C-alpha cells in the first residue's frame, strides 16, 4: 500500500476511483456528508470540485493505492483562507475502503496528514466525526482531544440525525492540548 499526495490534475484524472471509494464509504454507513444511496456520477462530480480546491491550494489530498493501483483510502486537509487562521487546518474525509479496513491504513493516512500539516507550519488541526463511530477510537488513540459534542449535527447515510464530536490536535509540541 502506498500513499501519494495528489494535485488537482491527478484528482481529476482519478475521479472515478475516488468516487468508487466514496460510494463504498457511504454504502458502509459512514457519515461523510452524503445520504445513501450515493450515485457514482454525483461522487465523481464532488471529487472534481475538490480538484479545483486542491489546484487553488485550499485543499491537500492524499490517496492510498493498493498493489493493483486501486484507490483504497483518502485523507484531506482543508486550509482556511482567513489571515488569522493560517496556523490551522481541518482534517476531512478520512476514508478507507471496506476491503482495506483493519490493517492500519486509517492510522497511516492520519499520520501522513498530521506530518504534512506540521511540515507546512500548521500548529493546530481539528475535525468532526459522528459520535460513537469507529473513527473516534482512531482519533483518541492518535492523541486527539475531544472538544465537545453537538446534537443532531448531521444526517447519517440513512437520513437519521446524529450527534457529532469535535476533536483537535496541537502539532509541534505546543502546550495546552
Amino acid at each position: 500500500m502506498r500513499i501519494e499526495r495528489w494535485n488537482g490534475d491527478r484528482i481529476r484524472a482519478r475521479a472515478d476511483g475516488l468516487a468508487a471509494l466514496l460510494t463504498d464509504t457511504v454504502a458502509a454507513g459512514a457519515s461523510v456528508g452524503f445520504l445513501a444511496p450515493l450515485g457514482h456520477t454525483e461522487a465523481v462530480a464532488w471529487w472534481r470540485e475538490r480538484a479545483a480546491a486542491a489546484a487553488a491550494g485550499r485543499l491537500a489530498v492524499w490517496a492510498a493505492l493498493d498493489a493493483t493501483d486501486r484507490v483504497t483510502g483518502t485523507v484531506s486537509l482543508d486550509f482556511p483562507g482567513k489571515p488569522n487562521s493560517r496556523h490551522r487546518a481541518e482534517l476531512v474525509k478520512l476514508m478507507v475502503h471496506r476491503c482495506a479496513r483493519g490493517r492500519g491504513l486509517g492510522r497511516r493516512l492520519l499520520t501522513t496528514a498530521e506530518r504534512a500539516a506540521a511540515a507546512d507550519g500548521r500548529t493546530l488541526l481539528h475535525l468532526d466525526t459522528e459520535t460513537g463511530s469507529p473513527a473516534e477510537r482512531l482519533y483518541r488513540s492518535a492523541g486527539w482531544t475531544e472538544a465537545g459534542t453537538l446534537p443532531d449535527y448531521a444526517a447519517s447515510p440513512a437520513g437519521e440525525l446524529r450527534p457529532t464530536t469535535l476533536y483537535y490536535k496541537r502539532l509541534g509540541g505546543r502546550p495546552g492540548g
Side-chain angles (χ1 to χ4, degrees):
M1 195 76 56
R2 69 187 190 281
I3 298 174
E4 302 174 346
R5 183 168 175 177
W6 284 2
N7 64 19
D9 290 337
R10 187 79 166 139
I11 294 167
R12 271 188 290 282
R14 298 295 302 267
D16 278 329
L18 291 162
L21 170 66
L22 179 56
T23 58
D24 175 77
T25 302
V26 172
S31 181
V32 291
F34 298 90
L35 298 175
L38 175 62
H40 186 76
T41 302
E42 182 183 355
V44 167
W46 185 84
W47 274 110
R48 288 193 174 135
E49 290 172 9
R50 304 293 74 76
R58 296 186 314 269
L59 186 73
V61 176
W62 290 267
L65 304 160
D66 67 13
T68 67
D69 208 37
R70 181 172 77 161
V71 178
T72 55
T74 63
V75 67
S76 300
L77 290 174
D78 189 6
F79 303 115
K82 297 175 185 149
N84 70 343
S85 347
R86 293 193 180 127
H87 65 288
R88 64 178 165 89
E90 181 178 8
L91 188 108
V92 294
K93 302 300 185 266
L94 174 57
M95 298 184 277
V96 175
H97 195 282
R98 284 181 279 190
C99 73
R101 291 186 185 162
R103 300 181 205 157
L105 180 56
R107 181 165 305 277
R108 285 186 58 206
L109 286 162
L110 181 59
T111 299
T112 297
E114 289 174 356
R115 288 179 179 163
D120 190 46
R122 308 294 165 155
T123 57
L124 180 69
L125 295 178
H126 65 96
L127 63 85
D128 69 84
T129 193
E130 183 178 346
T131 304
S133 70
E136 281 196 291
R137 286 189 302 277
L138 171 63
Y139 299 130
R140 286 184 182 133
S141 69
W144 287 70
T145 301
E146 182 177 333
T149 300
L150 301 173
D152 298 337
Y153 184 77
S156 70
E160 175 188 341
L161 289 180
R162 300 281 300 137
T164 196
T165 302
L166 307 174
Y167 286 88
Y168 69 92
K169 186 171 188 177
R170 291 187 182 270
L171 304 175
R174 291 209 27 180

